[in-house]
Structure formats: structure tokens, C-alpha cells
Amino acid sequence: MNPDAPAGDPQAEALQDPPAPACVMSFNAADASGAGGLAGDVATLAAMGAHALPITTSILLRDSAEIFDQHAIDPDVVAEQARTVLEDITVTGWKVGFLGSAEGISAVAEILSDYPDVPLVSYLPNLGWLEDDVAQPYLEAFRELILPATEVLVGNHKTLTDFLLPDWDSERPASARELAVAAGERGTRYVLVTGIMLAAKGSDQFIDNVLASPQGALTGEKFEMFEASFVGAGDTLSAALAALLAAGSELQAAVGEALAFMDQSLDAGFRPGMGSVVPDRFFWAMPPAEEGAEGPQGGPEVPPEPEAAEGKPKGAPRRVH
């Protein structure tokens, strides 16, 4: 603060208090591997220029390869974390990830209901690692309490199909629009479906990522499938989208930018352990590698892709998944 600035001078006050970034409250699990969960959300929101308000809903016991167990946080503690912050800070966006338990979902839904005009991005991860007696009530509570408040539901094509259309028995995969219709019946306005497998073109396999409403597909990106296993991609995409919507971006433009951000984060991903590759959400902050320099794991630098060698603009997404 400048003590010499005259009191009540609007210009001086503007210089002293720059506009705050968009504040996004994320309800998600603590992930000690740093790959996804709250760690992934905080990194992504920061990289997108937003301020993260992380609310811990569960503690995951996991490494970079798999989840072994989780300990859900008491629902009253989840609610108290959020209420304490909300009494002080104005939130312009929500992100919902893994909420730990059906009771945790109920606590979060009650908070969301008090702010119906704040856009909510909900991410549904693959919960195949949960025991059935926990997973089934969790998914039912998510369906009944979170979907009605959700602006955009984000998830992998198979995960969303199993969740929204459990009786789907056609040999044809469900379309993004059909998933959006099923979500819309619960009150969700849009779905962002990732990992839709497309017919292979020669030796290349492509996947589609589609934003859809019950009226049809709106926008999306086709990516060339990358031969690596990632962890944290869904949290990265959904948190990036939440940050953009919180800042006032138009939905279709925000989806395109969020997909490009995820794409480049995966392209720059690294393998911190013996498991999957983790997205590098701060790929844009790293200086360009010098010729002949070592790669991130101490090995030789990976040679550029053919398209990069042909003059692809630096920073443009290299369509990967």
C-alpha cells in the first residue's frame, strides 16, 4: 500500500488492488501422486489464470499406476470447509470431481443449490476400483443430486455410457447426443464426451471428443491416439473448462480452448514413477529444450515429430490423447 496516496482516490485504489482472478471452488479427492484430484485441479486452474479454492472430499491411497483405497471425509467437514470459504470469497465457477461417498455428494449438492447461477462442471471418473456396495449408492446420488445442477458433464465415452445408459445393448456405440439426452433427462445441459473411438485410417487410430446437447453435437476435436497411458487427463480437461467458464468465456470457445490445453499438457506429459504419464499443466512455462539436451527422465531428447520438423507453429496442439 502507498501511504502517500490520497484517501478515496479511485485511481490510486485501482493501482493498489488489481482485479482478482476468477475463483473456482473444486470439490475433489486429495491425490498424493499429484496426477489428478485436487492436485491436478489446483495446477490446472492456476495454469489457466484462475484461483483455486480446493475442498477435500476424500483421501486417495494411490500411486501413478492405480488407486488402492480411499477414505471419505466426513460430510459435515466437507460442508464446513466450503462454507467457511464462501462466507469470505466470491466464487464464479464450480468443479466437481470424486466426492468420496453418497453422503458427501449430498453435502456438496446442498451447497451448490445455494448458488444456482454459478456454472458447474462435473467430472465423472472411472470408478471401477470402488467396491459395488460403495459405487452403486455413490452413482445413484450423483445421478439424483449432481446432474440437475450441472452445466457440463465431462467423462470418457465408456464411463458415461455405463452411467447414463446402463441398459445400452446395441452393437453401435451410443452417440454423444444420445448421452446428452440421457443426461438432460436429469437436468444436465451439456455433456463433453471424450475418447470416442473412430475408424482407423491406415496405421493411425483417432478418437473424437464431442460437446453435445440433447439437440445434437455442438463442437469437438479429433485427436490422434497416443501410445501411452495417462492419469489425470479428465481432471485436467474439466478444471480447465471450469476456469474458462468462470472467467466468462462462451461455452463452445471454452471447450475448444480446454481441449487444446489438455492436448498440449498430455503432449508434454512426464512419467514420475513406474506407472502412467502425468500431464504437465505448465508446459507453456518451460524454456525450449536445447538441441542435444537430455529429456525429462535423463535420457536423450525425443526428436521432433515429422509435422513439427515441417514447420508446425510452436505451441500448436499435436493431436494426442
Side-chain angles (χ1 to χ4, degrees), residues 48-168:
M48 299 299 292
H51 177 63
L53 305 170
I55 306 301
T56 306
T57 59
S58 169
I59 298 174
L60 294 183
L61 303 182
R62 70 160 304 153
D63 57 18
S64 62
E66 61 182 308
I67 299 172
F68 300 99
D69 200 0
Q70 67 107 5
H71 296 277
I73 302 298
D74 183 279
D76 290 339
V77 176
V78 173
E80 193 63 25
Q81 290 179 76
R83 296 288 187 198
T84 302
V85 174
L86 291 168
E87 289 175 2
D88 176 48
I89 298 174
T90 299
V91 170
T92 56
W94 306 109
K95 154 71 193 289
V96 158
F98 179 58
L99 301 181
S101 66
E103 295 76 16
I105 288 175
S106 180
V108 171
E110 185 175 348
I111 292 168
L112 296 173
S113 68
D114 291 337
Y115 303 84
D117 297 328
V118 177
L120 167 63
V121 176
S122 298
Y123 169 55
L124 184 66
N126 179 357
L127 299 178
W129 54 275
L130 273 180
E131 297 292 336
D132 285 346
D133 60 345
V134 177
Q136 291 308 316
Y138 180 94
L139 291 172
E140 187 57 36
F142 196 95
R143 185 179 291 110
E144 295 293 332
L145 300 175
I146 298 300
L147 289 190
T150 298
E151 178 82 2
V152 185
L153 174 65
V154 180
N156 174 269
H157 180 260
K158 184 180 187 311
T159 299
L160 291 185
T161 300
D162 291 344
F163 174 60
L164 295 169
L165 298 169
D167 297 325
W168 185 266

Side-chain angles (χ1 to χ4, degrees), residues 189-212:
R189 295 187 63 189
Y190 305 95
V191 295
L192 177 52
V193 188
T194 65
I196 302 172
M197 301 301 295
L198 299 175
K201 297 179 179 180
S203 60
D204 296 329
Q205 176 69 60
F206 288 84
I207 57 173
D208 207 359
N209 305 277
V210 178
L211 173 72

